[in-house]
Amino acid sequence: MGEKVVFSKKVLGEMSQKQLLNRAIDQSVTYVESSGTSGIRGYGWYSDFELKEMSNHIINKGVQLSENDTIMIRFPYTLSLPAHLIEASAKKSKSIIIPVSSRTEMAPYFKLLSLMKELEVTVFAANPREIELLFEALSVQQLTPSEYLPNLRAFVTAGEVLSHKRKNYIELEWGIEVFNLYGATEVGNFGYTCEFGNMHMDEENFFIEKVQQGEFSLLSTGLNKNVYITNKKNHTSKIRNYEIEDIIEVLSEKCSCGDYNKLIRARGRISDVIKLSNKEIDMFEIQEAIYSLNDVPFFWEVHVENENVEIRMEYNIDKIINKSELERELKDKLELLSAKVHIFKEGELVDRGKIFKYPISRKPTYIYNTREKKIKSKLEYGKQKLQNKNYHRAKLCFKDIIKEYEFSEAYTWLAATIGSEAESKSLMEKITLYPSLKKYTELAVKKNPYDPFAHYLLAMLLYKTPGEIGGNRKKALSHFRMCKYLGYKEDISVYFEELI
C-alpha cells in the first residue's frame, strides 16, 4: 500500500485517543466514539468548525433544514457523532432544537409522541429502528401520523443500513420523506441523500479509495470492499486512510438533482455478510427482501449456521401469517436453496413493555451469522475445559479466539484460566505463571472496563500477590469496589472487611 499510513479499529485500539488529537487552541473540540460487537472502540475528534462544515449537505441538500424547522434529535448524545452533527446543522440553520437522546429512560416513545405534538416538531432525526418503534407506539394508540403530527415533514436517519425497500416502507407508513446520512465515527459523514432521495458520496471533502492488489485506487462501479476514507477538512484528528469495514456500491447513473458527486449505496458491514457455498448476501439484500414482503414483521432476526438460514419474525397480535408463503417469498427474493422461517407471536421475541418503557441501550442486532456462533461455541468450549481443569486446552481456545476475532471477552476468560491454573501449582510454578497472569488480567480490565468479573480477577491478583512483586492492597480494594458497583453477583464482603 505504498507509503500511506492506514488506520483501522484495531490500530485505534492500540493507541491513546490523545495521540490522534491535533487541536487548534482557538477551537472548541468534541470527542466521539463507538463500540462494535468486538468491543474495540472507534473514536474521532471534531472542532466546532468541522462539524458545521459537515452539516452543509444537511442544510443545503435533502431535508434542507431552515429557521422554520423544529427538529427533535433522537440519536444517543453520549459520545455519538450523529447527534452532535445534526445539532451543529440545526444551530447553523437556526432551527429550534429538541434533544431527546435515545437509550435512556428519560424519554420513552409515548412521551416522545406527546412532545412532538406539543412542540410542533417538523423534522425527526434518529436511526431507522427508532422510527419504526415510534410508529408502533403511535399505532397501538390507534393514532394516525398525519392527524396526530400534522407538522412533521421529514425524517433524517443514520447509523444503520437503510435499503430502498426499508426507506419506502417507512415513508409509506408515515406519509413523509426520509433523508439518510452515511458516515463513520472516525472520519465523519461522507454520504448524504439529496432531494430526489438518492445518496451521494461527498467527493469534495473526502478522499474515498479502495485497496486492490496492495495498491490504492478510486472506487469502481459496483461493489467495493477494503474501502479507506480520509476527511480532507478535518485537521483536528490525525486519522487518515481509515478502513471502514463496510461494503459500498457505486452506481453508474447520474442523479437528476444536478449534483455530480457519485451515487452510492451503503450495503452494510463486511462482518454481517452471510456467506453460503453458492452466494453471499449482505444487509442491503436482506432488508430488500424483508421490507418487500406482503406482511412486514414488527421485529426480525436472521440466524445463520453453516448453510442453514433461519429468519425469525415477530408479528402483531392482529396478524394472521402464512408461514409456508413467507418461506417461499423469502427463498425466491434471496435466491436461497432453502429458507426456514420461525414465526413468533407478539411479545415472544422481544419484550414490548421493556422496549417502550425502557428504550434499548444499544444498536439493534439483525444478523447472527456463523462468526458470532463460532465465537460463542468456542467460548463455551473453553469454559467447559476450564471447568474440567484442562487448563492447557482452555488457554489454547481463548488465545485462538483473541487471535482470530480479537473478541474482548476472551481476555477475561484467558486471565481466569491462568489464575485457576496458578491456584493448583506449587509456589515456584506460581512465580513462573505470574507475568502471564498479570499481563492478561490487566488486559482483561483494559478491554472490558465495565465487566465486573474482569475487575474481580485483577482485585484478587493484587490482593493475593505479595507487595514486593507487584501486589497492592489499596488497588485491590478499588477493584473490589468496582466489582460491587458493576453488579458482581458473588459475595465479596469478606475482602472489604479485611482491606478496609
Side-chain angles (χ1 to χ4, degrees):
M1 289 189 278
E3 300 298 317
K4 288 191 177 185
V5 176
V6 297
F7 288 86
S8 64
K9 259 192 168 57
K10 186 174 182 180
V11 171
L12 295 185
E14 295 166 354
M15 302 178 73
S16 75
Q17 297 94 315
K18 281 293 190 77
Q19 279 180 274
L20 296 172
L21 174 60
N22 183 36
R23 185 186 176 192
I25 204 68
D26 62 338
Q27 283 282 319
S28 173
V29 171
T30 298
Y31 171 79
V32 292
E33 75 171 41
S34 62
S35 295
T37 53
S38 67
I40 304 173
R41 288 185 300 175
Y43 50 84
W45 296 97
Y46 300 91
S47 69
D48 284 354
F49 174 77
E50 288 155 356
L51 286 172
K52 287 175 182 175
E53 279 293 293
M54 278 194 292
S55 74
N56 285 338
H57 291 306
I58 301 170
I59 298 168
N60 302 324
K61 299 283 184 180
V63 69
Q64 298 181 13
L65 282 181
S66 75
E67 67 275 7
N68 298 318
D69 280 308
T70 296
I71 182 167
M72 180 175 278
I73 303 173
R74 181 60 168 173
F75 291 108
Y77 266 77
T78 306
L79 299 175
S80 118
L81 175 61
H84 296 287
L85 175 59
I86 299 292
E87 185 169 282
S89 309
K91 285 180 177 177
K92 190 171 181 178
S93 62
K94 298 181 174 58
S95 303
I96 295 173
I97 301 167
I98 306 169
V100 284
S101 183
S102 63
R103 307 177 197 177
T104 169
E105 296 176 20
M106 292 181 67
Y109 297 99
F110 297 116
K111 182 175 181 178
L112 285 191
L113 289 169
S114 295
L115 282 174
M116 290 171 75
K117 184 175 181 63
E118 292 164 9
L119 300 173
E120 299 180 351
V121 168
T122 61
V123 177
F124 186 85
N127 73 36
R129 186 59 184 156
E130 287 288 316
I131 295 168
E132 291 168 352
L133 291 171
L134 192 66
F135 185 80
E136 184 67 15
L138 192 74
S139 299
V140 79
Q141 298 177 81
Q142 298 184 318
L143 301 172
T144 56
S146 59
E147 291 178 6
Y148 188 73
L149 301 169
N151 299 291
L152 189 64
R153 69 175 185 85
F155 291 115
V156 177
T157 60
E160 288 184 41
V161 173
L162 185 74
S163 78
H164 293 312
K165 296 294 185 184
R166 189 181 192 185
K167 178 176 180 288
N168 292 343
Y169 177 76
I170 293 171
E171 289 179 335
L172 188 62
E173 279 191 322
W174 287 88
I176 59 175
E177 290 185 279
V178 177
F179 298 97
N180 195 29
L181 302 174
Y182 179 35
T185 296
E186 299 81 1
V187 290
N189 192 76
F190 50 84
Y192 57 92
T193 305
C194 70
E195 53 271 31
F196 282 75
N198 297 317
M199 179 168 282
H200 294 261
M201 182 166 68
D202 184 357
E203 298 174 88
E204 297 158 32
N205 298 309
F206 291 83
F207 287 122
I208 305 178
E209 301 173 289
K210 66 177 178 180
V211 171
Q212 201 166 18
Q213 298 179 337
E215 296 295 327
F216 278 93
S217 61
L218 296 176
L219 301 194
S220 54
T221 302
L223 301 183
N224 295 268
K225 300 179 182 179
N226 303 317
V227 176
Y228 290 77
I229 296 183
T230 297
N231 186 332
K232 293 189 279 187
K233 296 290 181 69
N234 186 354
H235 303 293
T236 303
S237 170
K238 296 177 184 177
I239 297 173
R240 297 290 182 271
N241 305 309
Y242 181 74
E243 183 182 13
I244 61 166
E245 301 175 5
D246 284 0
I247 303 168
I248 297 179
E249 181 181 8
V250 176
L251 308 181
S252 59
E253 56 262 43
K254 298 295 181 185
C255 186
S256 51
C257 74
D259 187 332
Y260 290 103
N261 281 330
K262 288 187 181 72
L263 292 178
I264 60 171
R265 288 177 184 153
R267 299 195 66 102
R269 308 287 288 173
I270 292 171
S271 60
D272 278 336
V273 171
I274 297 170
K275 296 181 180 180
L276 304 173
S277 58
N278 63 327
K279 68 174 304 179
E280 293 187 353
I281 308 170
D282 60 34
M283 177 64 89
F284 189 94
E285 291 172 280
I286 292 284
Q287 287 191 10
E288 288 288 273
I290 298 284
Y291 287 92
S292 62
L293 292 170
N294 290 326
D295 287 300
V296 176
F298 166 73
F299 190 81
W300 58 272
E301 299 173 346
V302 180
H303 290 253
V304 184
E305 189 160 10
N306 300 322
E307 294 292 303
N308 301 311
V309 178
E310 180 186 287
I311 303 170
R312 301 177 185 178
M313 299 178 169
E314 181 177 307
Y315 283 91
N316 289 346
I317 200 166
D318 58 346
K319 292 283 187 181
I320 299 172
I321 303 300
N322 185 322
K323 179 182 172 182
S324 300
E325 179 64 21
L326 267 184
E327 286 182 340
R328 186 194 63 75
E329 271 194 86
L330 289 167
K331 179 184 168 184
D332 291 346
K333 290 175 187 296
L334 294 170
E335 299 177 359
L336 294 170
L337 297 176
S338 66
K340 183 179 179 182
V341 171
H342 191 169
I343 304 297
F344 290 81
K345 295 177 183 177
E346 186 172 310
E348 288 184 340
L349 191 57
V350 289
D351 186 335
R352 306 285 181 107
K354 193 172 181 180
I355 288 174
F356 288 105
K357 189 174 182 182
Y358 306 110
I360 297 168
S361 62
R362 58 179 175 80
K363 263 188 187 180
T365 301
Y366 299 102
I367 297 178
Y368 297 82
N369 61 25
T370 303
R371 177 183 182 274
E372 278 73 39
K373 290 182 180 289
K374 279 183 178 177
I375 292 172
K376 185 178 179 181
S377 176
K378 284 187 175 183
L379 270 178
E380 291 306 314
Y381 174 82
K383 290 177 190 179
Q384 188 64 50
K385 292 302 176 186
L386 171 58
Q387 190 175 2
N388 295 337
K389 299 183 180 179
N390 189 337
Y391 303 121
H392 177 68
R393 286 286 181 191
K395 285 192 294 185
L396 287 177
C397 177
F398 296 131
K399 284 181 178 178
D400 183 50
I401 295 171
I402 290 168
K403 182 179 179 181
E404 189 171 354
Y405 302 106
E406 190 58 32
F407 191 68
S408 60
E409 192 181 336
Y411 286 94
T412 302
W413 286 105
L414 178 55
T417 303
I418 299 168
S420 296
E421 183 182 22
E423 287 290 326
S424 68
K425 300 293 185 181
S426 66
L427 178 60
M428 289 307 297
E429 288 173 313
K430 278 184 171 72
I431 292 170
T432 303
L433 283 170
Y434 177 75
S436 179
L437 178 58
K438 181 176 184 292
K439 172 186 174 182
Y440 284 107
T441 307
E442 289 175 348
L443 272 172
V445 172
K446 182 180 178 182
K447 299 285 184 178
N448 306 276
Y450 309 113
D451 180 357
F453 186 42
H455 283 279
Y456 172 78
L457 294 173
L458 184 52
M460 290 300 291
L461 177 65
L462 293 164
Y463 169 71
K464 289 185 173 183
T465 303
E468 310 87 71
I469 59 170
N472 187 315
R473 293 169 71 85
K474 186 177 179 181
K475 286 185 178 179
L477 176 60
S478 175
H479 285 286
F480 278 128
R481 292 182 73 195
M482 281 295 291
C483 285
K484 185 177 179 181
Y485 292 158
L486 292 169
Y488 189 63
K489 296 285 192 294
E490 303 297 325
D491 183 12
I492 54 175
S493 57
V494 63
Y495 302 113
F496 286 102
E497 290 170 9
E498 189 173 334
L499 291 168
I500 293 175

